[in-house]
């Protein structure tokens, strides 16, 4: 494993812990316009040598196929180590889908920004984004797992452990994305706890604070980042084309209640604990649905 350069580097490497549709592009634009002496990227589709980690690496991670996965992660680590800037930032929701199991071994001076948005809004927004992409008939939006199953490029496979608790049921795509959000958050908490990285994480309640300039100043100070004296807050909002604001319908709430009531206890305990219990816009509602 050729990770010596990164493991011994003083470079601060910051990743987001987040699902899709949780403000990662907004945060990337904040870094691009305000943070200095920092290499910043969102989802590096067009950057030679820096894998996006979408598609097959997600399946390899789920299947624990490290023979295929590790060379990809090592290539990303080499790319990070070779940047000249003292800080590397990537706001990529593929991190917890493909990198979570090996982050402790491959990353040394690391920090995380944990972005948590209302789970139903994330699930509905991801579902609507997939619908839009499929209606446009965009190419290369699916890949085939090693088992020969077709999967959406940016999503989990549906073979992850949490999904197996619902294997006897037919889930809607909204419910799939809701389970994906829970699985991603479970991975985030495991990553933090197993590596004792609690003091390396800056948490943002997306619904309440992502666009709050004072919170973003606290974020910069938390990581001791060099930044402009006055922030440019004219930042990109990643809206889904042709679709208005995300609306949670009565049907969505019914599907959510059914799924959460059947959630295994360890996930219920997680969602009733910090930091999720402090998300005032939805925590109490979710808690009632799980009871």
């Amino acid at each position: 494993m050729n990770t010596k350069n990164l493991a011994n580097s003083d470079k601060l490497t910051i990743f987001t812990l987040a699902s899709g549709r949780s403000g990662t592009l907004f945060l990337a634009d904040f870094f691009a316009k305000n943070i200095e002496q920092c290499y910043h990227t969102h989802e590096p589709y067009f950057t030679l040598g820096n894998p996006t980690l979408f598609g097959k690496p997600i399946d390899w991670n789920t299947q624990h196929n490290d023979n295929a996965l590790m060379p990809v992660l090592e290539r990303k680590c080499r790319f990070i180590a070779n940047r000249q800037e003292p800080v590397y930032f990537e706001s990529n929701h593929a991190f917890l889908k493909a990198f979570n199991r090996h982050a402790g071994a491959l990353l040394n001076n690391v920090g995380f920004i944990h972005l948590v948005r209302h789970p139903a809004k994330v699930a509905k927004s991801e579902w609507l984004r997939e619908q839009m992409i499929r209606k446009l008939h965009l190419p290369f939006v699916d890949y085939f797992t090693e088992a020969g199953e077709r999967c959406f490029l940016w999503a989990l496979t549906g073979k992850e452990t949490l999904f197996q608790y619902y294997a006897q049921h037919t889930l809607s795509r909204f419910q799939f994305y809701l389970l994906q959000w829970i699985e991603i958050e479970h991975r985030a908490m495991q990553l933090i706890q197993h590596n004792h990285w609690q003091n390396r994480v800056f948490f943002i309640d997306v619904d309440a604070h992502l666009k709050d300039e004072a919170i973003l100043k606290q974020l910069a100070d938390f990581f001791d980042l060099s930044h402009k004296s006055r922030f440019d807050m004219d930042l990109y909002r990643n809206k889904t084309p042709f679709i208005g604001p995300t609306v949670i319908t009565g049907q969505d709430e019914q599907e959510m209640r059914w799924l959460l009531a059947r959630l295994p206890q360890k996930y219920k305990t997680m969602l009733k604990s910090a930091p999720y219990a402090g998300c005032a816009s939805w925590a109490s509602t979710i808690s009632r649905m799980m009871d």
Side-chain angles (χ1 to χ4, degrees):
M1 184 185 303
N2 184 20
T3 58
K4 183 178 179 180
N5 287 341
L6 184 58
N8 293 334
S9 174
D10 291 330
K11 184 191 305 294
L12 173 60
T13 303
I14 303 173
F15 283 98
T16 51
L17 304 178
S19 291
R21 315 303 300 149
S22 296
T24 53
L25 189 52
F26 179 93
L27 194 60
D29 199 30
F30 170 77
F31 268 74
K33 292 178 177 176
N34 297 290
I35 304 301
E36 301 168 337
Q37 302 178 48
C38 175
Y39 182 94
H40 50 80
T41 185
H42 174 47
E43 296 163 4
Y45 296 108
F46 306 109
T47 305
L48 186 65
N50 193 6
T52 66
L53 303 182
F54 289 113
K56 287 185 179 296
I58 297 175
D59 178 48
W60 294 334
N61 189 41
T62 294
Q63 300 301 328
H64 289 209
N65 182 358
D66 291 340
N67 288 334
L69 178 62
M70 286 301 293
V72 178
L73 300 182
E74 290 172 1
R75 189 159 71 248
K76 177 174 279 289
C77 288
R78 288 193 294 270
F79 180 90
I80 294 171
N82 289 332
R83 297 313 95 201
Q84 297 301 310
E85 297 84 352
V87 179
Y88 176 94
F89 170 72
E90 183 170 326
S91 62
N92 185 352
H93 64 91
F95 177 79
L96 285 172
K97 293 171 180 171
F99 205 159
N100 63 302
R101 292 188 304 112
H102 296 292
L106 297 181
L107 300 174
N108 181 29
N109 186 19
V110 66
F112 300 101
I113 303 170
H114 189 183
L115 300 171
V116 173
R117 185 188 178 197
H118 192 310
K121 290 183 178 179
V122 168
K124 187 67 174 283
S125 186
E126 293 226 61
W127 174 39
L128 292 174
R129 176 60 65 96
E130 181 181 349
Q131 280 188 317
M132 182 272 295
I133 288 172
R134 295 201 181 282
K135 285 180 179 179
L136 293 175
H137 301 289
L138 298 179
F140 312 118
V141 301
D142 292 304
Y143 72 96
F144 286 93
T145 69
E146 292 187 332
E149 298 175 311
R150 176 182 284 182
C151 288
F152 191 50
L153 186 69
W154 297 275
L156 292 178
T157 67
K159 299 301 181 182
E160 292 75 17
T161 300
L162 176 56
F163 289 87
Q164 302 315 304
Y165 290 99
Y166 298 86
Q168 303 305 313
H169 303 280
T170 301
L171 301 178
S172 70
R173 200 59 177 166
F174 170 75
Q175 289 174 318
F176 171 92
Y177 279 118
L178 186 59
L179 280 182
Q180 175 175 274
W181 181 90
I182 297 169
E183 170 64 20
I184 290 299
E185 293 306 323
H186 187 249
R187 292 184 183 191
M189 299 311 295
Q190 284 188 314
L191 179 77
I192 295 166
Q193 293 165 5
H194 290 177
N195 294 286
H196 307 289
W197 281 341
Q198 290 86 347
N199 64 345
R200 301 188 183 194
V201 182
F202 188 88
F203 174 78
I204 298 180
D205 178 348
V206 170
D207 302 280
H209 296 137
L210 180 61
K211 299 173 185 177
D212 186 331
E213 185 173 354
I215 295 295
L216 295 175
K217 175 63 165 59
Q218 291 177 24
L219 183 155
D221 291 343
F222 181 85
F223 293 110
D224 195 23
L225 301 174
S226 177
H227 58 81
K228 294 180 178 179
S229 57
R230 297 188 63 182
F231 286 162
D232 180 351
M233 292 299 294
D234 183 17
L235 303 175
Y236 185 79
R237 270 75 165 173
N238 188 16
K239 297 179 179 179
T240 301
F242 319 119
I243 295 174
T246 303
V247 177
I248 306 303
T249 66
Q251 176 66 28
D252 297 332
E253 291 180 350
Q254 182 177 344
E255 292 184 6
M256 188 175 184
R257 186 176 294 106
W258 179 92
L259 185 143
L260 291 175
R262 291 161 175 78
L263 198 63
Q265 187 58 47
K266 68 177 180 179
Y267 298 95
K268 290 183 178 181
T269 299
M270 178 190 76
L271 293 175
K272 291 183 178 182
S273 305
Y276 311 100
C279 296
S281 66
W282 56 267
S284 60
T285 300
I286 295 296
S287 181
R288 287 195 300 271
M289 287 183 175
M290 290 189 292
D291 292 336

